[in-house]
Amino acid sequence: RIYAQVVESLATWDPETLAMRGLLAEAWQQDPEGMWVRVKIRDNARFSDGKPVTAEDVRWSFHDYINNPELETESLRSIMTSIDRVEVISDKVCEIHFKWLDAYNLQSALLFGVLPKHFYERFTPSQINQSTGLLVGSGPFKLENLDPDDQWSPGEVVTLVRNEQYWGPKPALERLRYFTIDNDIARLVAYQNGETDMILPSSPQFAEKEREPGFEDTTYMLKWVNMRSGYNFIGWQCGPRNGKLTPFADKRVRQAMTMLLDRDLMIRDIWQGIGAIAVGPNNPPSPAAAPDVQPLPYDPQRARELLAEAGWMDRDGNGILENENGQEFVFEFTRASGGQTIERMQKYLIDQCASVGIRCIPRIVDWSQYDQIMKNRDFDAITLGWSASAPESDPKQIWHPDSIQNQGHNFIQWDAGQGPIIDKIKSTLDTEERMALFHELHRLIHEEQPYTFVRVVPWTRFISKKFENVHPYASGLEQREFYLAPVPTN
């Protein structure tokens, strides 16, 4: 959140239309074949220290920062593999060349943060890797304290001040302060005491305050689905775990698991009615969502039939389903520790499984272990959530069979022949044709149910009404637009 106020990219998403628009870039020209883009940087673009933003800063940010193997920038490098090189044409013009045709080349080229070469090149990679407060950019705000020998430490307040060198409309607020309160109750108390002006409430808190008379008199209670809204899911292990297939290798079993869960009830009881049933990896209003796909219904009877079709029956009368080899249907549900919400979800899943003769055993782990568990594919079922950073998300990272390999994010190891569809999506520049392919992928995912898509997660915010010009946009929030409301006088 701090980075987004301090560092800018060449382009951004329009808050209302979600069309890509220039930010540091005044204009760009794209190769009709999709293999390069030429960018003109604004003449008045300045970093917060007053130095101009140049084409060399763009080249340096990509080649010498993001792609410096000595810097801990792996997460960026892994999603920017299609860019071949950045060439400096003149002081304010650069060309970005691609290795292959990809529908998301333009996003890759125009949306990475442009950093000032003159500031960062005086530090060693080790100093940058160990830094906690070396952040300089061209955005509307800057760090109040930028002392390399006295950097921010986790737990301290982060203060941003208005960048008076900013090339665009300057924000009305002089400063922003960010601090962390981990506990939900303590966070709400701090807000009600006036110690903070904006918080992310929990779903129960939002529902409770909606019913409290007078709370809306002083607070914007915002709840909306936007570009960055994600979804919760339960992922079923479609491939082998420790060399053996789980019951979820059969799509009929995965369909049955979804039909066992009353997701409307889950949203009402677990999340206090905050959210809606997710329909798939792209949710409306995204154009990538197939309009004809509806969530599978809550249907325990059909779930029993599907389990029987897959060979799972109570063969010995002990109340537990067995396969034809006499093996009981027992699986582990891996989830992170802490929080009433996940505990309620776990209890509901266990109870619903028991109602049809399936034994669900909870495996509760610390969040820090989650990444390694997914990389090792060491789970039967796991719960997680994805969120987006663009109106249209590249499906390869999560859904392509290639992402099963090398500890990629297809950790459920699902492969139902979707690879060619995803490859076509990525090579199709025409938006209408690409959406048709997205709809084909959506229908396949719906049929296969590699995830049970549980809930679309709306953004929720409590914001003090001492501010005005507060708008919930399709892209999120624009804090640079906030200003203090005039104090009424008698």
Side-chain angles (χ1 to χ4, degrees), residues 263-306:
R263 285 158 287 157
D264 268 326
L265 177 70
M266 293 173 73
I267 291 167
R268 288 198 306 271
D269 288 358
I270 298 174
W271 290 285
Q272 303 295 306
I274 307 297
I277 297 176
V279 301
N282 296 287
N283 289 288
S286 169
D292 57 320
V293 171
Q294 298 297 317
L296 288 181
Y298 170 57
D299 191 343
Q301 181 54 40
R302 179 56 182 151
R304 290 184 177 93
E305 293 170 0
L306 285 165

Tab-separated table of all heavy atoms in Angstrom, residues 263-306:
chain	number	residue	atom	x	y	z
A	263	ARG	N	-22.896	-23.154	0.194
A	263	ARG	CA	-22.047	-21.970	0.274
A	263	ARG	C	-22.824	-20.714	0.634
A	263	ARG	O	-22.284	-19.793	1.227
A	263	ARG	CB	-21.268	-21.811	-1.038
A	263	ARG	CG	-20.116	-22.833	-1.141
A	263	ARG	CD	-19.675	-23.079	-2.556
A	263	ARG	NE	-20.657	-23.873	-3.259
A	263	ARG	CZ	-20.797	-23.891	-4.588
A	263	ARG	NH1	-20.015	-23.136	-5.336
A	263	ARG	NH2	-21.716	-24.646	-5.157
A	264	ASP	N	-24.118	-20.678	0.303
A	264	ASP	CA	-24.959	-19.577	0.787
A	264	ASP	C	-24.996	-19.581	2.309
A	264	ASP	O	-24.860	-18.532	2.952
A	264	ASP	CB	-26.382	-19.709	0.238
A	264	ASP	CG	-26.586	-18.941	-1.065
A	264	ASP	OD1	-25.952	-17.873	-1.211
A	264	ASP	OD2	-27.348	-19.408	-1.918
A	265	LEU	N	-25.215	-20.755	2.882
A	265	LEU	CA	-25.239	-20.884	4.338
A	265	LEU	C	-23.890	-20.522	4.940
A	265	LEU	O	-23.819	-19.833	5.972
A	265	LEU	CB	-25.614	-22.319	4.725
A	265	LEU	CG	-25.622	-22.631	6.220
A	265	LEU	CD1	-26.782	-21.916	6.899
A	265	LEU	CD2	-25.711	-24.145	6.446
A	266	MET	N	-22.796	-20.966	4.302
A	266	MET	CA	-21.456	-20.655	4.801
A	266	MET	C	-21.235	-19.146	4.853
A	266	MET	O	-20.718	-18.610	5.836
A	266	MET	CB	-20.393	-21.322	3.918
A	266	MET	CG	-20.377	-22.836	3.997
A	266	MET	SD	-19.252	-23.574	2.776
A	266	MET	CE	-17.655	-23.162	3.481
A	267	ILE	N	-21.636	-18.452	3.790
A	267	ILE	CA	-21.442	-17.000	3.749
A	267	ILE	C	-22.278	-16.317	4.822
A	267	ILE	O	-21.812	-15.393	5.504
A	267	ILE	CB	-21.770	-16.460	2.343
A	267	ILE	CG1	-20.715	-16.945	1.338
A	267	ILE	CG2	-21.835	-14.935	2.336
A	267	ILE	CD1	-21.085	-16.740	-0.117
A	268	ARG	N	-23.509	-16.795	5.024
A	268	ARG	CA	-24.365	-16.195	6.061
A	268	ARG	C	-23.820	-16.449	7.465
A	268	ARG	O	-23.754	-15.537	8.294
A	268	ARG	CB	-25.786	-16.758	5.968
A	268	ARG	CG	-26.583	-16.281	4.781
A	268	ARG	CD	-28.074	-16.517	4.996
A	268	ARG	NE	-28.381	-17.905	5.340
A	268	ARG	CZ	-28.626	-18.858	4.445
A	268	ARG	NH1	-28.575	-18.579	3.150
A	268	ARG	NH2	-28.916	-20.085	4.823
A	269	ASP	N	-23.413	-17.703	7.731
A	269	ASP	CA	-23.045	-18.079	9.105
A	269	ASP	C	-21.591	-17.798	9.447
A	269	ASP	O	-21.276	-17.467	10.595
A	269	ASP	CB	-23.326	-19.567	9.336
A	269	ASP	CG	-24.814	-19.867	9.434
A	269	ASP	OD1	-25.605	-18.903	9.360
A	269	ASP	OD2	-25.182	-21.042	9.557
A	270	ILE	N	-20.702	-17.952	8.485
A	270	ILE	CA	-19.264	-17.813	8.769
A	270	ILE	C	-18.806	-16.382	8.533
A	270	ILE	O	-18.023	-15.838	9.315
A	270	ILE	CB	-18.454	-18.800	7.902
A	270	ILE	CG1	-18.845	-20.250	8.242
A	270	ILE	CG2	-16.952	-18.585	8.102
A	270	ILE	CD1	-18.207	-21.286	7.339
A	271	TRP	N	-19.317	-15.765	7.451
A	271	TRP	CA	-18.864	-14.404	7.096
A	271	TRP	C	-19.959	-13.355	7.297
A	271	TRP	O	-19.868	-12.261	6.744
A	271	TRP	CB	-18.339	-14.385	5.662
A	271	TRP	CG	-17.051	-15.122	5.510
A	271	TRP	CD1	-15.800	-14.713	5.908
A	271	TRP	CD2	-16.863	-16.416	4.917
A	271	TRP	NE1	-14.867	-15.661	5.602
A	271	TRP	CE2	-15.482	-16.730	4.989
A	271	TRP	CE3	-17.718	-17.355	4.332
A	271	TRP	CZ2	-14.948	-17.913	4.502
A	271	TRP	CZ3	-17.185	-18.541	3.848
A	271	TRP	CH2	-15.819	-18.806	3.930
A	272	GLN	N	-20.976	-13.714	8.061
A	272	GLN	CA	-22.041	-12.766	8.421
A	272	GLN	C	-22.705	-12.129	7.197
A	272	GLN	O	-23.090	-10.962	7.208
A	272	GLN	CB	-21.476	-11.667	9.331
A	272	GLN	CG	-20.821	-12.179	10.596
A	272	GLN	CD	-21.810	-12.849	11.529
A	272	GLN	OE1	-22.806	-12.252	11.882
A	272	GLN	NE2	-21.535	-14.089	11.907
A	273	GLY	N	-22.809	-12.915	6.125
A	273	GLY	CA	-23.481	-12.433	4.928
A	273	GLY	C	-22.649	-11.526	4.053
A	273	GLY	O	-23.156	-10.989	3.059
A	274	ILE	N	-21.373	-11.346	4.388
A	274	ILE	CA	-20.497	-10.471	3.607
A	274	ILE	C	-19.864	-11.290	2.483
A	274	ILE	O	-18.994	-12.126	2.723
A	274	ILE	CB	-19.402	-9.826	4.476
A	274	ILE	CG1	-20.001	-9.115	5.690
A	274	ILE	CG2	-18.561	-8.885	3.640
A	274	ILE	CD1	-20.914	-7.960	5.357
A	275	GLY	N	-20.300	-11.063	1.246
A	275	GLY	CA	-19.739	-11.776	0.111
A	275	GLY	C	-20.830	-12.447	-0.714
A	275	GLY	O	-22.022	-12.342	-0.427
A	276	ALA	N	-20.418	-13.144	-1.751
A	276	ALA	CA	-21.331	-13.879	-2.629
A	276	ALA	C	-20.609	-15.137	-3.094
A	276	ALA	O	-19.376	-15.224	-3.028
A	276	ALA	CB	-21.732	-13.023	-3.826
A	277	ILE	N	-21.378	-16.126	-3.553
A	277	ILE	CA	-20.764	-17.370	-4.020
A	277	ILE	C	-19.908	-17.089	-5.249
A	277	ILE	O	-20.354	-16.450	-6.200
A	277	ILE	CB	-21.836	-18.420	-4.365
A	277	ILE	CG1	-22.642	-18.797	-3.122
A	277	ILE	CG2	-21.189	-19.670	-4.958
A	277	ILE	CD1	-23.778	-19.759	-3.399
A	278	ALA	N	-18.682	-17.558	-5.221
A	278	ALA	CA	-17.776	-17.400	-6.361
A	278	ALA	C	-18.179	-18.381	-7.455
A	278	ALA	O	-18.541	-19.526	-7.173
A	278	ALA	CB	-16.330	-17.647	-5.932
A	279	VAL	N	-18.112	-17.931	-8.695
A	279	VAL	CA	-18.504	-18.790	-9.819
A	279	VAL	C	-17.293	-19.425	-10.498
A	279	VAL	O	-17.453	-20.326	-11.311
A	279	VAL	CB	-19.345	-18.024	-10.863
A	279	VAL	CG1	-20.607	-17.466	-10.230
A	279	VAL	CG2	-18.538	-16.907	-11.505
A	280	GLY	N	-16.095	-18.955	-10.182
A	280	GLY	CA	-14.920	-19.500	-10.837
A	280	GLY	C	-13.734	-18.578	-10.657
A	280	GLY	O	-13.763	-17.662	-9.824
A	281	PRO	N	-12.682	-18.788	-11.445
A	281	PRO	CA	-11.467	-17.986	-11.294
A	281	PRO	C	-11.654	-16.537	-11.708
A	281	PRO	O	-10.861	-15.675	-11.330
A	281	PRO	CB	-10.462	-18.692	-12.202
A	281	PRO	CG	-11.295	-19.406	-13.214
A	281	PRO	CD	-12.528	-19.822	-12.481
A	282	ASN	N	-12.662	-16.256	-12.511
A	282	ASN	CA	-13.023	-14.880	-12.846
A	282	ASN	C	-14.489	-14.691	-12.467
A	282	ASN	O	-15.350	-15.475	-12.864
A	282	ASN	CB	-12.831	-14.606	-14.341
A	282	ASN	CG	-11.378	-14.710	-14.754
A	282	ASN	OD1	-10.566	-13.861	-14.444
A	282	ASN	ND2	-11.053	-15.790	-15.466
A	283	ASN	N	-14.741	-13.668	-11.668
A	283	ASN	CA	-16.095	-13.424	-11.206
A	283	ASN	C	-16.660	-12.183	-11.892
A	283	ASN	O	-15.934	-11.241	-12.184
A	283	ASN	CB	-16.100	-13.232	-9.694
A	283	ASN	CG	-15.824	-14.530	-8.960
A	283	ASN	OD1	-16.664	-15.415	-8.910
A	283	ASN	ND2	-14.633	-14.652	-8.393
A	284	PRO	N	-17.973	-12.176	-12.143
A	284	PRO	CA	-18.573	-10.952	-12.673
A	284	PRO	C	-18.246	-9.786	-11.747
A	284	PRO	O	-18.165	-9.986	-10.527
A	284	PRO	CB	-20.071	-11.278	-12.660
A	284	PRO	CG	-20.146	-12.775	-12.673
A	284	PRO	CD	-18.947	-13.232	-11.918
A	285	PRO	N	-17.975	-8.600	-12.310
A	285	PRO	CA	-18.270	-8.186	-13.685
A	285	PRO	C	-17.117	-8.379	-14.667
A	285	PRO	O	-17.122	-7.747	-15.715
A	285	PRO	CB	-18.555	-6.699	-13.497
A	285	PRO	CG	-17.658	-6.289	-12.373
A	285	PRO	CD	-17.595	-7.469	-11.454
A	286	SER	N	-16.114	-9.210	-14.357
A	286	SER	CA	-15.014	-9.418	-15.295
A	286	SER	C	-15.542	-10.001	-16.603
A	286	SER	O	-16.322	-10.966	-16.584
A	286	SER	CB	-13.978	-10.375	-14.698
A	286	SER	OG	-13.050	-10.786	-15.685
A	287	PRO	N	-15.119	-9.463	-17.750
A	287	PRO	CA	-15.562	-10.023	-19.030
A	287	PRO	C	-15.015	-11.427	-19.264
A	287	PRO	O	-15.503	-12.137	-20.145
A	287	PRO	CB	-15.001	-9.030	-20.059
A	287	PRO	CG	-13.839	-8.382	-19.376
A	287	PRO	CD	-14.213	-8.308	-17.931
A	288	ALA	N	-14.026	-11.844	-18.468
A	288	ALA	CA	-13.465	-13.186	-18.621
A	288	ALA	C	-14.360	-14.256	-18.009
A	288	ALA	O	-14.134	-15.447	-18.219
A	288	ALA	CB	-12.073	-13.246	-17.984
A	289	ALA	N	-15.383	-13.859	-17.238
A	289	ALA	CA	-16.317	-14.818	-16.651
A	289	ALA	C	-17.370	-15.207	-17.673
A	289	ALA	O	-18.010	-14.351	-18.285
A	289	ALA	CB	-16.982	-14.205	-15.420
A	290	ALA	N	-17.553	-16.508	-17.874
A	290	ALA	CA	-18.574	-16.980	-18.817
A	290	ALA	C	-19.961	-16.693	-18.241
A	290	ALA	O	-20.287	-17.174	-17.154
A	290	ALA	CB	-18.408	-18.475	-19.062
A	291	PRO	N	-20.793	-15.932	-18.949
A	291	PRO	CA	-22.085	-15.525	-18.378
A	291	PRO	C	-23.055	-16.677	-18.154
A	291	PRO	O	-23.999	-16.550	-17.369
A	291	PRO	CB	-22.623	-14.525	-19.408
A	291	PRO	CG	-21.902	-14.831	-20.673
A	291	PRO	CD	-20.555	-15.340	-20.265
A	292	ASP	N	-22.835	-17.815	-18.824
A	292	ASP	CA	-23.757	-18.938	-18.692
A	292	ASP	C	-23.384	-19.883	-17.554
A	292	ASP	O	-24.120	-20.842	-17.272
A	292	ASP	CB	-23.811	-19.725	-20.011
A	292	ASP	CG	-22.431	-20.218	-20.455
A	292	ASP	OD1	-21.454	-19.462	-20.302
A	292	ASP	OD2	-22.323	-21.356	-20.944
A	293	VAL	N	-22.266	-19.655	-16.888
A	293	VAL	CA	-21.830	-20.548	-15.806
A	293	VAL	C	-22.437	-20.098	-14.489
A	293	VAL	O	-22.280	-18.946	-14.083
A	293	VAL	CB	-20.292	-20.587	-15.700
A	293	VAL	CG1	-19.864	-21.347	-14.440
A	293	VAL	CG2	-19.692	-21.249	-16.934
A	294	GLN	N	-23.139	-21.008	-13.841
A	294	GLN	CA	-23.707	-20.767	-12.520
A	294	GLN	C	-23.072	-21.730	-11.523
A	294	GLN	O	-22.700	-22.845	-11.881
A	294	GLN	CB	-25.231	-20.975	-12.542
A	294	GLN	CG	-25.975	-20.017	-13.462
A	294	GLN	CD	-25.825	-18.571	-13.033
A	294	GLN	OE1	-25.906	-18.256	-11.852
A	294	GLN	NE2	-25.592	-17.686	-14.006
A	295	PRO	N	-22.930	-21.344	-10.261
A	295	PRO	CA	-22.322	-22.239	-9.265
A	295	PRO	C	-23.085	-23.562	-9.183
A	295	PRO	O	-24.316	-23.596	-9.331
A	295	PRO	CB	-22.443	-21.454	-7.957
A	295	PRO	CG	-22.596	-20.028	-8.365
A	295	PRO	CD	-23.325	-20.042	-9.674
A	296	LEU	N	-22.371	-24.655	-8.955
A	296	LEU	CA	-23.049	-25.927	-8.713
A	296	LEU	C	-23.959	-25.780	-7.497
A	296	LEU	O	-23.610	-25.095	-6.525
A	296	LEU	CB	-22.033	-27.041	-8.461
A	296	LEU	CG	-21.212	-27.531	-9.667
A	296	LEU	CD1	-20.272	-28.646	-9.241
A	296	LEU	CD2	-22.121	-28.012	-10.788
A	297	PRO	N	-25.114	-26.430	-7.506
A	297	PRO	CA	-26.060	-26.258	-6.402
A	297	PRO	C	-25.634	-27.052	-5.161
A	297	PRO	O	-24.835	-27.985	-5.249
A	297	PRO	CB	-27.360	-26.815	-6.973
A	297	PRO	CG	-26.906	-27.874	-7.944
A	297	PRO	CD	-25.637	-27.327	-8.565
A	298	TYR	N	-26.203	-26.667	-4.035
A	298	TYR	CA	-26.089	-27.492	-2.823
A	298	TYR	C	-27.048	-28.658	-2.999
A	298	TYR	O	-28.265	-28.480	-3.035
A	298	TYR	CB	-26.444	-26.661	-1.596
A	298	TYR	CG	-26.583	-27.468	-0.325
A	298	TYR	CD1	-25.536	-28.272	0.135
A	298	TYR	CD2	-27.765	-27.413	0.425
A	298	TYR	CE1	-25.660	-29.016	1.303
A	298	TYR	CE2	-27.891	-28.141	1.603
A	298	TYR	CZ	-26.847	-28.940	2.029
A	298	TYR	OH	-26.967	-29.666	3.192
A	299	ASP	N	-26.518	-29.864	-3.130
A	299	ASP	CA	-27.340	-31.028	-3.452
A	299	ASP	C	-26.691	-32.282	-2.870
A	299	ASP	O	-26.007	-33.041	-3.569
A	299	ASP	CB	-27.488	-31.142	-4.976
A	299	ASP	CG	-28.541	-32.163	-5.401
A	299	ASP	OD1	-28.914	-33.006	-4.559
A	299	ASP	OD2	-28.970	-32.119	-6.571
A	300	PRO	N	-26.892	-32.544	-1.565
A	300	PRO	CA	-26.257	-33.711	-0.929
A	300	PRO	C	-26.645	-35.037	-1.578
A	300	PRO	O	-25.813	-35.958	-1.636
A	300	PRO	CB	-26.755	-33.630	0.521
A	300	PRO	CG	-27.107	-32.196	0.726
A	300	PRO	CD	-27.626	-31.722	-0.597
A	301	GLN	N	-27.892	-35.158	-2.062
A	301	GLN	CA	-28.309	-36.407	-2.679
A	301	GLN	C	-27.520	-36.667	-3.960
A	301	GLN	O	-27.037	-37.787	-4.185
A	301	GLN	CB	-29.808	-36.372	-2.988
A	301	GLN	CG	-30.344	-37.652	-3.618
A	301	GLN	CD	-30.026	-38.903	-2.805
A	301	GLN	OE1	-30.097	-38.892	-1.570
A	301	GLN	NE2	-29.638	-39.984	-3.489
A	302	ARG	N	-27.371	-35.638	-4.795
A	302	ARG	CA	-26.571	-35.814	-6.013
A	302	ARG	C	-25.121	-36.070	-5.662
A	302	ARG	O	-24.439	-36.843	-6.350
A	302	ARG	CB	-26.699	-34.557	-6.896
A	302	ARG	CG	-25.895	-34.616	-8.193
A	302	ARG	CD	-26.262	-35.823	-9.029
A	302	ARG	NE	-25.452	-35.912	-10.242
A	302	ARG	CZ	-25.143	-37.052	-10.863
A	302	ARG	NH1	-25.607	-38.213	-10.392
A	302	ARG	NH2	-24.402	-37.047	-11.943
A	303	ALA	N	-24.629	-35.478	-4.567
A	303	ALA	CA	-23.261	-35.736	-4.127
A	303	ALA	C	-23.077	-37.214	-3.789
A	303	ALA	O	-22.066	-37.837	-4.170
A	303	ALA	CB	-22.933	-34.866	-2.916
A	304	ARG	N	-24.056	-37.807	-3.092
A	304	ARG	CA	-23.975	-39.239	-2.761
A	304	ARG	C	-23.946	-40.085	-4.028
A	304	ARG	O	-23.202	-41.076	-4.117
A	304	ARG	CB	-25.169	-39.637	-1.886
A	304	ARG	CG	-25.145	-39.066	-0.471
A	304	ARG	CD	-26.328	-39.611	0.347
A	304	ARG	NE	-26.281	-39.138	1.714
A	304	ARG	CZ	-26.900	-38.040	2.139
A	304	ARG	NH1	-27.595	-37.288	1.274
A	304	ARG	NH2	-26.814	-37.684	3.402
A	305	GLU	N	-24.761	-39.701	-5.010
A	305	GLU	CA	-24.805	-40.457	-6.265
A	305	GLU	C	-23.459	-40.385	-6.992
A	305	GLU	O	-22.976	-41.395	-7.534
A	305	GLU	CB	-25.927	-39.908	-7.151
A	305	GLU	CG	-27.326	-40.144	-6.597
A	305	GLU	CD	-28.388	-39.372	-7.362
A	305	GLU	OE1	-28.025	-38.658	-8.333
A	305	GLU	OE2	-29.587	-39.464	-7.003
A	306	LEU	N	-22.860	-39.206	-7.019
A	306	LEU	CA	-21.565	-39.046	-7.692
A	306	LEU	C	-20.483	-39.852	-6.980
A	306	LEU	O	-19.627	-40.482	-7.630
A	306	LEU	CB	-21.181	-37.569	-7.733
A	306	LEU	CG	-21.939	-36.706	-8.744
A	306	LEU	CD1	-21.734	-35.226	-8.435
A	306	LEU	CD2	-21.467	-37.011	-10.169
